[in-house]
Amino acid sequence: MSWPKKLLFGLITTLGFWLLAEALLAIAGFEPTTTTTDPLLGFSRQVPLLESYQAENGIERVQTAAGKLVWFNHQSFPAIKPDRTRRVFCVGGSTTYGRPFADGTSYSGWLRELLPLADPDTNWEVINAGGVSYASYRVAEVMQELSQYEPDLFLVYSVHNEFLERRTYEGLFETSVLNRNASAILQKTRVGSLVQQFVSSSPINSNTKARLSEEVDERLNHTVGPSDYHRDDVWQTKVIRHYEWNLERMVSIAQRSGAQIAFITPASNLKDCWPFKSESNSQSPTTPSGLSQLDKVKASWEQSDDSALVTQTNAIINSDPRCAEAHFFHGRALFQMEEFDQAEVAFLRAIDEDVCPLRATTAIAETVRRVARRHEIPLIDFETKLRQYSQERFGHSCFGRELFLDHVHPTIEVHGELAWWILEELQRTRVVGGSLPSETQKVNVQQKVFDLVDDQTRGIAFRNLAKVMHWAGKFPEAAQHAADALKLIPDDLESRFLLADCELCQGRNEESLRLYDELFDVGDFPRAYVNYAELLFEAGRLDEAKSYLIPAVLRERHRRRERAMYLLALVHLSLEEYEFALECFNQLDPAYANDSDMLFLKAEAYAGAGDQQAAIEALTRLTKSEPVNFEARYRLAVALVSQQRPVDARHQLEKAREIDPTDPRLEAITLQIQALEESLSEK
């Protein structure tokens, strides 16, 4: 057979096998990966944001694809734009989405109510296409897809996620477009999806899948955090350059589709959100106690005089001008002295020097303004408008928790103000006709929007904010959000868990244990088993600790299972259940076999179980790795006495005496060795 025929035969055979496998998997009910999620996270157009469906009236409509609902609100609109209709797409990140709530309370939701009042002769469609954690690269991809649906206007608020996305999805940025698209096409099939579950060659490996699961807390707790960031000015410059390129791309997409485009400048929480990560130089001044000057300032914050704090923080800044936290606390001290203009400058510098910048820096804001000027497109200067708004209401422009629910997400009221400012600018630039709604109409819209949010919804929103702050290591803020959630949803177990864990992470173990007790009085929360059991163990409540650790060992995986198993071994050891303790120790990762703590504890368990020889072997290995470990030498001497080995016991005794000659136990073991020597000599 010639090679073309062989090739054709091979292709037909492979295709036939593939189709047969597809059919069998379909019969078995196995669905492609893309049915329920987007395996490429918006980095490939092969997994679209929207999918078509036939409405009951026979009109073709499009809606948010099921696999995208993790990141996007559900939206639906006609595939073909009706007459006299103007279609507005709001694109950006989680603020556009409406976090910590949803579409109805976002500026998109407000605009959906305000535009028909401003221009009632037009049928307005406002589609919220904001994606949680989406930065400009993926926002541009979304715009490219939306451009086929006859857009009239794109509103772009894509500002806060640039540095987060570049760290979180670093591997995907480095993967070629061809590779990403090929992977996406493969996972549209059942066979391809099944293969991808067993093969790690996909751009999205198993670790990435874990950290991007649908559950918000799991996604955050397994993604990159502040510890993954280090100061890198070159990297930041590249991110800004790529950001500007993406904004230019958005303008081009809008122009090619015949739509207008408007940008929104960033605003964020200044005074009530300290930097996510601060890096000090090695020359930072220290106090006689060894604490840095900044640590001293933070420790004595409540008791210190404001003017003294200004002086102290200014001294730190002079010696370490790029310390973000120093600028933040300098701003706080100035704010308390009502030096608001200087405080605002300090707060903005703190954002710019944040090593983990999860709020838009001044470079981001300048880039938005520069691109808008270059193309002469409408610019809604959210930052300037909010500064004026805050000045009128509060007498300062240092935005805080009165305007923002967390570091970047505005209150529902501020979303309404932003929608109003958008409408003003669009009418000023003649993008939108008509006139501004009346004050009465504005109040009615406000009431309608606020009615969308009940106590349960607000409570869940505060809980989600607590998760974000907990992930970022901002435990005081996380605890406050969790406490706010519990005021609205008192029986919410996850909020109680977050509050208890925040206390634990701040070293307040007694208060944490009290809160965990309250949590388990309300209900069962398996994710808290390990933390709660550890506190119970420390409190001497051993049987209770064991009752939580046994199911934890069965349900947990990887490191958390190791931790649960280790704690269970300690509990068994404390209860003198030596055989069970040894069983737990032996199930731990072999990599811990030579760990000094492990060897010591296993020796104790062996001794308790009556296996003195195994105890001696473990302690001997320990003394070889840690020759100056007094406790290991002493315990080894005791074990050797029990084995009637006085020479070896005396050798370990002398080594122990060299390490710590004052330990009172040495006299007793010395007498035991002497007695053993005399007994053996008599024989």
Side-chain angles (χ1 to χ4, degrees), residues 634-649:
Y634 169 75
R635 294 291 183 92
L636 183 52
V638 172
L640 288 166
V641 168
S642 70
Q643 291 292 92
Q644 296 191 342
R645 294 166 58 181
V647 175
D648 294 332

Side-chain angles (χ1 to χ4, degrees), residues 153-195:
L153 172 65
F154 286 105
L155 283 173
V156 182
Y157 187 52
S158 179
V159 288
H160 293 300
N161 294 323
E162 297 309 304
F163 301 102
L164 172 65
E165 179 161 296
R166 272 291 182 172
R167 278 280 183 259
T168 307
Y169 308 127
E170 213 159 11
L172 274 170
F173 275 106
E174 295 168 359
T175 304
S176 70
V177 174
L178 181 62
N179 193 356
R180 290 200 298 261
N181 288 340
S183 180
I185 292 170
L186 181 65
Q187 291 182 77
K188 283 184 176 181
T189 68
R190 293 176 175 83
V191 174
S193 297
L194 186 63
V195 170

Side-chain angles (χ1 to χ4, degrees), residues 42-64:
F43 282 87
S44 171
R45 297 179 201 167
Q46 300 300 321
V47 186
L49 169 64
L50 301 171
E51 59 186 12
S52 299
Y53 72 100
Q54 202 80 13
E56 291 181 0
N57 58 7
I59 296 176
E60 183 186 1
R61 295 180 66 86
V62 292
Q63 64 181 358
T64 309

Side-chain angles (χ1 to χ4, degrees), residues 306-328:
D306 293 335
S307 59
L309 287 170
V310 170
T311 302
Q312 291 170 347
T313 51
N314 199 47
I316 298 168
I317 291 168
N318 287 336
S319 64
D320 190 2
R322 303 205 64 185
C323 179
E325 279 194 335
H327 287 287
F328 175 77

Side-chain angles (χ1 to χ4, degrees), residues 623-674:
T623 56
K624 287 180 179 178
S625 61
E626 295 187 8
V628 293
N629 187 323
F630 173 85
E631 197 64 31
R633 296 284 185 185
Y634 169 75
R635 294 291 183 92
L636 183 52
V638 172
L640 288 166
V641 168
S642 70
Q643 291 292 92
Q644 296 191 342
R645 294 166 58 181
V647 175
D648 294 332
R650 185 171 290 281
H651 173 72
Q652 296 300 328
L653 171 64
E654 294 307 318
K655 291 289 186 182
R657 198 187 305 278
E658 291 174 10
I659 299 167
D660 183 5
T662 63
D663 192 288
R665 294 175 294 175
L666 293 175
E667 184 177 351
I669 190 63
T670 300
L671 294 174
Q672 290 179 33
I673 292 172
Q674 289 174 350

Side-chain angles (χ1 to χ4, degrees), residues 21-23 182 190 247 271 292 297 309 333 347 451 507 604 617 642:
E22 278 285 303
R190 293 176 175 83
L247 294 187
K271 72 177 174 65
S292 72
V297 166
L309 287 170
F347 289 136
D451 285 347
E604 185 178 346
E617 290 173 3
S642 70

